[in-house]
Amino acid sequence: MLALCCIALVMTAPVPVYASGDVSGVRFGQNGDTTRFVIELSGDTKPAIFLLADPYRIVIDLPEVNWRGGDAVRSTGLVEGYRHGLFTGGTYRIVLDLKSPAIVSNAFSLPATSGKGKRYVVDIKPSNRTEFIAAVASSKPQRSRYAAKVEKGPAVSNSRRKDGKHIIVLDPGHGGIDPGNLGAIGVHEKVITLKIARAIRDELNKSGRYEVHLTRDRDIFHKVRERFRIARRHNADLFISIHADSINNPRVKGGSVYNLSETASDKEAERLAARENKSDVLAGVNLDVVEDEVSGILIDLAQRETMNYSAQFAELLVAEMGGSVPMLDRAHRYANLGVLKAPDVPSVLLEVGYLTNLTNARFFNSKKGQALIAQSTRRAIDQYFSKIVGQGR
Ligand SMILES: [Zn+2]
């Protein structure tokens, strides 16, 4: 009986993911033409290592670890830069961006010695494109060693809620291995977007009229498409992806709201879409798997209705935000943003402003700023359901 009971518990309870060890530091070294990358690890982990092309990257997956190393480590030699962070529940990922094609010539563990802990060493040597592409193919089986444990959202029934609450899914942009841009106050976009999403959630929950879900409520990465899939699994009535922009002019400030369009409304919108859509590349996602369940859907009637609702909500959000948050001129914009491609969930991407502007960045990082954004968003959502959806649907 006891055994049966435990099995049932294991199957139904959410499975918490525990870190399997610590990374206490990383370092780079150069010996002749070989670049050495060393990971100081507490456990007996054997990383999964694979290569991805265009751009040239080496991806190192570990089971979920606590990162205790600093971030001031400079890359050298063949490695232009690196990122690290939670990729999915259970997988901690390090991505090395290469200056030119280079392959792993050696990878091995070193036991702890007096004064030094366990280490994992990755040696990288210069190569050419042909050899690199062959290495991408031969390393492919490694891709799923840890990353197969993709964190799936909760199973949601297809029936709409019976209590009449509207379902809102908030999507804090970036996360985990994809930090987003770094602002004028030294706080990454992924941190700011999560704070704002939580503030909006709390504001909506206070009203009692909404059921609110976040695509992430911790520092974890989701693929662009997974974000709107979460909204679809929840049967969302509205999906809001939250971001904070960056530009190399620190004086530029102000928020904007984006809808999906195949063609961008202006050059800046086009550049923004290129930046935001790059998330999967930054995170070392294998892009050669085409998962285009919504291709060609833009001409579909359902999609047209969704886009119409999305545009009306964007107008309301621009108007309401404008009352308390500085907005750009022509703040309602269009761009080909991957995260807005749910065919049946009205969706907008809210750029709250520019993290590269000191005033904007301090505002987003303050409780007061987050509360003002949350209240404006709640007012826009209230109006959307009372005026637009209430009449049209
Ligand atoms: Zn962003």
Side-chain angles (χ1 to χ4, degrees):
M1 269 314 281
L2 190 65
L4 263 179
C5 140
C6 291
I7 289 167
L9 257 180
V10 166
M11 286 170 71
T12 52
V15 184
V17 180
Y18 296 107
S20 66
D22 291 346
V23 168
S24 54
V26 295
R27 60 195 145 82
F28 290 90
Q30 189 70 14
N31 184 3
D33 62 358
T34 298
T35 300
R36 175 164 281 193
F37 180 57
V38 181
I39 310 167
E40 290 160 8
L41 286 161
S42 67
D44 282 315
T45 302
K46 193 174 181 305
I49 303 178
F50 58 91
L51 279 64
L52 292 173
D54 306 318
Y56 300 114
R57 287 155 292 166
I58 294 174
V59 181
I60 303 167
D61 277 352
L62 305 161
E64 191 165 332
V65 291
N66 294 312
W67 186 275
R68 304 202 188 279
D71 274 324
V73 179
R74 283 237 184 120
S75 55
T76 46
L78 299 160
V79 179
E80 187 157 48
Y82 74 105
R83 285 174 301 287
H84 64 89
L86 209 51
F87 178 68
T88 57
T91 306
Y92 199 93
R93 174 166 287 185
I94 304 170
V95 179
L96 307 179
D97 296 315
L98 302 170
K99 288 177 186 160
S100 52
I103 56 171
V104 175
S105 56
N106 211 353
F108 54 93
S109 302
L110 286 175
T113 53
S114 54
K116 276 185 178 166
K118 285 177 189 160
R119 285 145 291 159
Y120 196 83
V121 177
V122 181
D123 282 339
I124 303 159
K125 65 165 191 182
S127 180
N128 55 52
R129 183 168 173 88
T130 312
E131 205 178 23
F132 188 90
I133 297 296
V136 168
S138 63
S139 68
K140 207 169 173 177
Q142 293 287 313
R143 287 182 193 172
S144 54
R145 253 192 49 216
Y146 294 109
K149 289 178 255 166
V150 172
E151 205 173 36
K152 285 274 177 242
V156 181
S157 82
N158 267 336
S159 61
R160 294 221 165 226
R161 285 187 59 107
K162 303 220 166 35
D163 59 10
K165 286 187 178 179
H166 298 295
I167 301 165
I168 316 291
V169 172
L170 304 172
D171 173 44
H174 310 275
I177 188 158
D178 167 24
N181 62 69
L182 183 63
I185 55 167
V187 181
H188 274 116
E189 185 181 358
K190 68 176 182 180
V191 177
I192 297 283
T193 59
L194 183 54
K195 285 182 179 177
I196 293 171
R198 285 172 174 161
I200 298 173
R201 175 188 60 192
D202 295 348
E203 175 72 21
L204 291 171
N205 280 341
K206 267 195 284 178
S207 79
R209 288 189 288 276
Y210 306 103
E211 175 187 312
V212 189
H213 301 278
L214 266 55
T215 55
R216 65 178 180 95
D217 199 8
R218 63 172 178 149
D219 186 15
I220 192 166
F221 171 80
H222 284 308
K223 288 186 210 172
V224 169
R225 280 175 186 281
E226 177 61 12
R227 293 171 183 272
F228 70 69
R229 284 194 187 124
I230 292 171
R232 297 188 75 204
R233 284 204 291 271
H234 283 295
N235 293 309
D237 295 303
L238 193 58
F239 174 79
I240 307 174
S241 188
I242 300 153
H243 291 258
D245 210 349
S246 72
I247 195 166
N248 53 16
N249 179 351
R251 285 193 298 273
V252 177
K253 60 180 175 187
S256 47
V257 180
Y258 281 82
N259 281 138
L260 176 68
S261 164
E262 282 183 72
T263 48
S265 54
D266 54 86
K267 279 276 166 247
E268 189 43 48
E270 197 175 315
R271 282 192 286 268
L272 174 125
R275 281 198 299 278
E276 299 294 11
N277 291 339
K278 216 169 58 184
S279 177
D280 286 356
V281 169
L282 290 175
V285 170
N286 153 38
L287 295 177
D288 55 40
V289 180
V290 181
E291 324 166 65
D292 222 350
E293 79 262 40
V294 289
S295 63
I297 205 97
L298 279 172
I299 49 163
D300 188 79
L301 276 177
Q303 175 87 352
R304 260 182 214 205
E305 191 196 41
T306 302
M307 289 173 87
N308 184 19
Y309 277 110
S310 305
Q312 295 194 68
F313 176 66
E315 285 293 330
L316 290 169
L317 189 55
V318 165
E320 286 301 332
M321 288 279 287
S324 45
V325 181
M327 298 295 279
L328 291 172
D329 296 338
R330 299 174 300 101
H332 182 188
R333 299 179 175 202
Y334 290 85
N336 197 352
L337 289 153
V339 77
L340 299 180
K341 287 190 176 171
D344 44 7
V345 183
S347 307
V348 302
L349 184 142
L350 167 64
E351 291 280 353
V352 289
Y354 287 86
L355 267 182
T356 37
N357 175 269
L358 197 56
T359 316
N360 266 187
R362 282 184 179 146
F363 181 76
F364 309 147
N365 203 36
S366 70
K367 283 262 178 258
K368 187 183 169 226
Q370 289 154 22
L372 284 171
I373 293 169
Q375 288 153 17
S376 308
T377 307
R378 195 257 308 143
R379 285 196 303 272
I381 293 173
D382 283 348
Q383 289 187 47
Y384 172 74
F385 286 107
S386 64
K387 291 185 186 165
I388 311 286
V389 180
Q391 288 174 6
R393 266 181 172 172

